[in-house]
Each structure stands twice: as C-alpha cells, then as structure tokens.
Amino acid sequence: MHSYKTLAAAALAACCGAASAGPLVWISLDTDAYALLTERNARMANAEHLPMVVADRQTQVVLTQVDADALEQLSADVHERLHRCGGFIVHANAAEGRQAVARARAVALSPNGLLANAAAPSYALDDGAEVNAMLPLVQESEIRATINQLTSYNNRYYKSKPGTKAATDLATRWQQMAAGRSDITVETVTHVGYPQKSVVMTVRGTTTPDDIVVIGGHLDSVNWQSLNQKKARAPGADDNASGIATLTEVARVMLQSGYHPKRTLQFMAYAAEEVGLKGSADIANQWRLAGKQVVGVMQLDMTNFQGSAYDINLINDYTNAAQNTFLSNIATTYLPTLSVTQGACGYACSDHASWTSNGYAASFPFEAPMGQDNQAIHTKNDTLAKSGGNADHAAKFARLALAYAIELGSD
Ligand code: BES
Ligand code: ZN
C-alpha cells in the first residue's frame, strides 16, 4: 500500500494544515486518541464527552480545545500506537463540532447508513438496451489522451499555480463538450483557504431532476517525497488523472449518444483530496445542507494500474453495502468477463468517505486488491508508463461507471 512516511506526511498535511487560526483549536477524537493526548500533557480546555456509535457499539468521542502545536505529535502518536491515519477532526467552533459528532452518530445509527434526504433507490437492472448500446462506445484512446493532458501540468497540487489552472482548464473542457446542450451546466466550486476549485458538470434529469447521481474523483495530485509541494513534479497519472479521465469518458460517451438521464447526473472533479478530502467534504456538506437528494455516489480514484488478476476491487468500508451489491450485479450482468473482488481500505481513504459521513450511499471500485495497487503514487514516478502506457484498465472502470450511471440515472 503506502509507506509509513507517505501516511505520516498525508496525516500531518490533512490534520494540521488548518490548525493555525489560534493557540487553541477545536477537535473531536475517539477516547483512544484522547488518552494519547492526555498522556502527552497537551494543553487542553473545555473537553466534552459526546455519545457515539462505532461498529454497532455505543461509545463516546471527546470534543475538546487543544493547543494547535500538539496536533502534529498527536497525528504521529495515533499512527504509531493505534496504527491508523489522522485520528481527529478539526472543527471551526464548539457548535460545529457538536453538530458534526451528532451527524456521524445519526449516520452510524441509521440501519442503511442513509440520512433523511438520501432514501435508498430501486436497484433493479432494467436498462439493458441503453447500457448495451453505449458500452462499446468507450474508447481507451480518449482516456489515455486525458491522462496525458492532466499529467502535462508540473503538478496539480491544491495550492500551486498549475494545480489551480488544471481545475479551470477542466471546466473549460467540460463546457466545450457540453456545447449546444441547454440541459447541461458546468460550474466551479470555490473553497475557502486554497485557490484550487472543484468542477461540477450537471446533466439535468428529464423526469426526476431532484434525484441526483454523482460520479466523482479528485483532480489534485501531490509528491509527498518533496519538501516543496508547490514546485515538485507530481504527475499523478494514476492518482488521480486516471479517475478524472475515466469519468470524463463516461460523460463523452453519454453526450455522443444523445442520452438524456431521467435523474440528474453530476460529474465532479474534487479539489484538495490529498490533504484531507477537503474539496469533497465541502461539497458533500453543502449538498446535505441544501437538502439535495443524492441517490448514489461513485468514487473513481486510481483506475489504471492492474496490479493483479482481479480487474476491480470493490471497497467495502466507508461505502454503502446495498449499492455495492448493485454494482457487483452490474458487473456480472453487463461486464461478465471482469473479475471482481472486494476488500477494505482500512480508513477514510478517498472522497467517497465524505459522502458516506454525510449520510449518502457511496461506492468505490478500485484498481487492485490492497497491497497490489500502484506503489508509485504520491511520487514523481506516478506516470502513465508506470501504469503500462495505456488506459486499458481504466476503460473497464469507464464501462462500469457508464452502466451504473445509466441504471441509476433512470430509476
Ligand atoms: N488514491 C489515494 C487513496 C488510496 C491509496 C486508496 C492507495 C487505496 C490505496 C488517495 O488519493 C490518498 O492518497 N488518500 C490519502 C488519505 C487522505 C485522507 C489524505 C492516503 O491514503 O494517504
Ligand atoms: Zn493520493
């Protein structure tokens, strides 16, 4: 999977980047991590124990103010002693902290993991004619071309000039693809604290436009081996030009076919995933606050490195079990030559987790079993050549995502 160094760097970047606002910051953390904090005699204030549910077990989390300088040590402690990433969530203030904890508890208590504005849809497979007509239109060469375009930026770091330009260029490209379609809009989402925008293409549904199906992936890249992220070479061909190229191909095929979904489809390229799922967390939270009915989410992050005989590894943690079953039925029915396995990421490893924690049904089909995935990610060596020089593997994910979008985009 990833090296200790990579994880530690990611955890530090993810957890500590936002902690400069003042001497004390609000965080929530589970009681194990809280114990590590008290062991270190970190300066803390206003600790509250709040009810929580983890893996069906009633437990508690602690909401507390802590010295911002203690966070880096806490990240390292959690990684070394508890063998997991991050370990705490930073909140803007006490009220937001309480709200976030209450929401996480409500999601955990909900039998299907869904909150009120995310009722489970029908997962019947009943759009075979459309799916079978459109699957042959997926082209490896198109996906490859997009990966090459995205790796042509020195990096797509969330705070760099090229990373910022990559997002606006993608918006322009999607706009050009949708030219002449009044039912399609392309918008950028501005985030607070960094210049890289997320990009959203919306294809308005013909009969139930309030129901939304999301296909997303992150557009940023990072080189954790460098000390100067803004200048470092970070092609991110697999992580995650591959995912953006895959979902762009799904959109291209739909537009070429003149397909009009009954539900609204949203294609999303998230900013700032590599530094703690920031862009997607912002969007999923905003969509929930706006009461948007997201019926399903597919995450595409690392689709082009074939590390084993398996074609697709369906991630089974921080995802929705019922939708995962639907996806595996889609694969069996429409893509019977693919070999599908399942496994856990072990932590909130990509943007699907942002949707899950906001009470929406998310799935994450991944390129390989854990440990057999691309080991060059987060370095200057995450090139297309490292993934075999073509986009054959990603094309499988484009077909899976296309079938998913058509089946769930209908009803
Ligand atoms: N694409 C990776 C996630 C990933 C890597 C999944 C390897 C499965 C196998 C993603 O871009 C990433 O790097 N995530 C971070 C965590 C995130 C919360 C910053 C990671 O895995 O360190
Ligand atoms: Zn990554």
Side-chain angles (χ1 to χ4, degrees):
M1 208 164 84
H2 17 225
S3 67
Y4 164 75
K5 253 210 207 122
T6 311
L7 283 176
L12 294 188
C15 305
C16 308
S20 58
L24 291 172
V25 288
W26 283 99
I27 61 166
S28 59
L29 71 184
D30 71 18
T31 47
D32 291 356
Y34 180 65
L36 296 181
L37 198 56
T38 53
E39 247 180 57
R40 291 270 179 192
N41 293 317
R43 189 163 62 96
M44 280 184 287
N46 298 314
E48 289 173 38
H49 282 67
L50 302 170
M52 183 46 73
V53 175
V54 176
D56 288 343
R57 194 174 59 87
Q58 299 284 337
T59 172
Q60 291 188 323
V61 296
V62 183
L63 178 69
T64 183
Q65 282 181 293
V66 64
D67 194 336
D69 294 341
L71 293 181
E72 198 163 320
Q73 185 61 57
L74 176 60
S75 259
D77 282 353
V78 167
H79 194 262
E80 242 164 72
R81 306 257 309 267
L82 304 177
H83 309 289
R84 51 189 167 82
C85 280
F88 56 88
I89 300 169
V90 178
H91 306 285
N93 52 51
E96 279 188 21
R98 281 185 211 106
Q99 259 173 33
V101 171
R103 191 175 62 252
R105 182 166 183 269
V107 171
L109 283 171
S110 162
N112 57 6
L114 304 178
L115 292 185
N117 51 358
S122 155
Y123 288 130
L125 300 189
D126 46 17
D127 302 290
E130 285 95 332
V131 174
N132 286 319
M134 287 163 70
L135 282 178
L137 302 179
V138 168
Q139 285 188 36
E140 178 275 334
S141 59
E142 291 280 344
I143 304 174
R144 185 169 13 107
T146 306
I147 294 175
N148 280 324
Q149 192 276 324
L150 288 168
T151 56
S152 73
Y153 302 95
N154 185 44
N155 62 54
R156 300 184 305 280
Y157 189 60
Y158 80 127
K159 282 183 169 172
S160 77
K161 277 227 164 72
T164 305
K165 184 167 191 299
T168 50
D169 285 354
L170 184 66
T172 304
R173 160 128 196 250
W174 284 1
Q175 245 143 19
Q176 285 163 352
M177 284 167 60
R181 285 277 300 257
S182 59
D183 57 330
I184 303 183
T185 55
V186 177
E187 281 151 319
T188 54
V189 178
T190 301
H191 303 287
V192 175
Y194 50 94
Q196 187 176 62
K197 295 176 194 302
S198 295
V199 188
V200 179
M201 172 158 59
T202 303
V203 185
R204 189 177 161 83
T206 51
T207 54
T208 50
D210 289 344
D211 282 1
I212 300 172
V213 176
V214 172
I215 303 185
H218 68 91
L219 71 92
D220 64 317
S221 71
V222 77
N223 178 346
W224 287 128
Q225 290 181 330
S226 166
L227 294 174
N228 186 352
Q229 303 300 343
K230 287 189 193 175
K231 291 269 180 282
R233 174 70 182 139
D238 192 28
D239 187 10
N240 182 33
S242 69
I244 298 300
T246 300
L247 62 93
T248 300
E249 177 61 1
V250 173
R252 190 195 67 79
V253 166
M254 286 188 160
L255 295 172
Q256 182 194 335
S257 316
Y259 173 74
H260 290 263
K262 293 184 185 143
R263 290 183 169 130
T264 292
L265 289 181
Q266 292 197 304
F267 296 91
M268 300 195 178
Y270 308 112
E273 185 268 356
E274 300 286 10
V275 289
L277 317 180
K278 282 177 193 270
S280 61
D282 204 5
I283 288 178
N285 189 48
Q286 280 188 40
W287 264 229
R288 179 182 51 78
L289 290 175
K292 296 196 181 181
Q293 294 170 33
V294 177
V295 301
V297 177
M298 178 185 279
Q299 172 71 2
L300 294 168
D301 181 4
M302 299 172 66
T303 63
N304 202 32
F305 181 89
Q306 175 138 33
S308 80
Y310 290 109
D311 296 303
I312 288 166
N313 180 16
L314 264 184
I315 300 298
N316 59 14
D317 59 349
Y318 299 88
T319 55
N320 182 274
Q323 187 179 249
N324 290 345
T325 301
F326 171 58
L327 256 191
S328 96
N329 289 339
I330 285 177
T332 311
T333 304
Y334 296 119
L335 303 163
T337 59
L338 294 190
S339 109
V340 180
T341 184
Q342 53 165 292
C345 218
Y347 57 101
C349 64
S350 191
D351 301 299
H352 58 292
S354 295
W355 292 100
T356 299
S357 68
N358 279 285
Y360 293 118
S363 295
F364 180 20
F366 183 69
E367 66 187 15
M370 286 308 141
Q372 294 175 282
D373 54 313
N374 191 341
Q375 301 297 302
I377 65 166
H378 304 162
T379 76
K380 66 178 184 346
N381 302 318
D382 181 7
T383 59
L384 182 62
K386 189 58 114 184
S387 292
N390 63 60
D392 288 339
H393 202 52
K396 301 167 195 168
F397 289 77
R399 289 182 205 106
L400 182 71
L402 181 62
Y404 167 82
I406 295 169
E407 280 291 353
L408 203 58
S410 302
D411 53 27

